[in-house]
Amino acid sequence: MLDELGIKAFWFIYTSVFEGTVEKLELFRYFRSTAFGDVDDFYHAFFRMVEERLGTLYVKLREEFDPATYLPNSPFYTWSDRWFRFLRDHVLGQEYFPIIEDMIDASKFDREKAAQILWLRGEQVRDLADQGHVIGLHSHTHPTTMGKLPYDEQLKEYRSNADYIFRLTGKTARVVSHPCNSYNADTLELLARLGIELGFRADVGQVRTRGPLEYRREDHANLLRLIQEC
Ligand SMILES: [Zn+2]
């Protein structure tokens, strides 16, 4: 479709998948959007699992949770979208993975089959670059809270990512989009050191003094909804 319309695009690529790693975040996203009637069915099952594990802590967190102040720059997120992301990114940490693994085990979802269709292959990335599309950084393993990692770990994430993209495409990446919109001053500093000239956030929030690595970005799902509303 892009070819038909004569459009060249940014493609922000995390690269651990080219080493044969199945990144769970993406696999889980695919699971929750295909193995349930709709996303609310998934949320219902997930919240029940988390409540079982956390008990009274879950009830307390839920009472205190204020959806208006969590991810306020993503206006299209529903209450459940926000509660899900809050639990995943700020409460469960590593406990998130076994919960979803248990849900997958209890379903008919085929991990292997899904992994085969989820990611671009190396030669496809090279083709895109050859055709004039812009391949950019998105970290190596796609951490959800990059901005909380120590400097060295962040540097490792982005350096591996940049090296991999260079090996795949023969071109040095000059652009980045921040995974899950997470970054801090260290991230911006090390990205500049790696020669990155342009970067995108994952939302449309205003940044007080925005640098070249913090451009606002509207999510494609929101754009589609806006178009349909017109
Ligand atoms: Zn991402």
Side-chain angles (χ1 to χ4, degrees):
M1 284 183 68
L2 291 175
D3 278 347
E4 252 172 54
L5 297 167
I7 293 173
K8 301 298 179 197
F10 289 114
W11 300 72
F12 297 105
I13 292 190
Y14 62 99
T15 35
S16 58
V17 291
F18 300 111
E19 293 171 339
T21 311
V22 172
E23 279 307 327
K24 288 184 172 170
L25 194 73
E26 199 64 38
L27 191 75
F28 290 179
R29 188 206 309 273
Y30 188 67
F31 169 66
R32 71 175 192 257
S33 58
T34 59
F36 295 86
D38 61 32
V39 73
D40 285 316
D41 285 350
F42 163 78
Y43 285 145
H44 189 72
F46 177 78
F47 297 153
R48 221 176 38 214
M49 294 282 275
V50 179
E51 186 168 7
E52 261 173 40
R53 289 182 197 218
L54 298 184
T56 51
L57 175 64
Y58 181 88
V59 179
K60 184 172 170 285
L61 287 169
R62 212 189 122 127
E63 272 166 14
E64 288 167 4
F65 182 66
D66 179 4
T69 59
Y70 187 65
L71 303 176
N73 297 323
S74 300
F76 287 97
Y77 279 164
T78 62
W79 182 91
S80 297
D81 289 336
R82 290 166 207 273
W83 180 230
F84 168 71
R85 282 167 175 75
F86 178 77
L87 288 171
R88 182 190 66 189
D89 297 338
H90 299 282
V91 179
L92 295 170
Q94 288 306 309
E95 280 177 65
Y96 170 70
F97 297 100
I99 291 175
I100 305 285
E101 297 284 5
D102 285 356
M103 290 174 74
I104 293 178
D105 288 341
S107 76
K108 291 192 175 73
F109 184 77
D110 184 338
R111 290 178 177 82
E112 300 291 307
K113 223 165 118 187
Q116 280 169 23
I117 59 164
L118 272 178
W119 292 284
L120 292 171
R121 294 189 306 275
E123 62 268 27
Q124 294 173 319
V125 177
R126 189 164 34 245
D127 269 359
L128 287 168
D130 289 347
Q131 289 167 29
H133 293 276
V134 179
I135 310 297
L137 305 188
H138 198 50
S139 82
H140 189 56
T141 71
H142 205 295
T144 55
T145 49
M146 179 74 80
K148 289 184 178 171
L149 297 180
Y151 187 95
D152 286 350
E153 272 181 56
Q154 292 194 32
L155 182 62
K156 207 171 133 213
E157 278 289 341
Y158 277 117
R159 183 168 278 159
S160 308
N161 190 212
D163 289 350
Y164 226 102
I165 286 175
F166 182 78
R167 286 209 299 278
L168 281 176
T169 65
K171 295 187 171 98
T172 302
R174 297 281 177 220
V175 296
V176 65
S177 85
H178 302 285
C180 300
N181 206 33
S182 182
Y183 61 93
N184 62 7
D186 282 349
T187 326
L188 299 179
E189 197 256 333
L190 70 88
L191 285 168
R193 255 179 68 192
L194 291 173
I196 303 304
E197 294 160 0
L198 177 74
F200 293 96
R201 294 164 54 83
D203 66 21
V204 293
Q206 291 284 8
V207 181
R208 196 175 293 248
T209 48
R210 182 187 55 69
L213 303 182
E214 298 174 278
Y215 277 89
R216 300 159 73 187
R217 181 177 67 82
E218 183 58 285
D219 193 274
H220 60 283
N222 300 339
L223 281 179
L224 198 60
R225 265 179 272 193
L226 284 168
I227 290 166
Q228 285 162 346
E229 277 167 18
C230 286

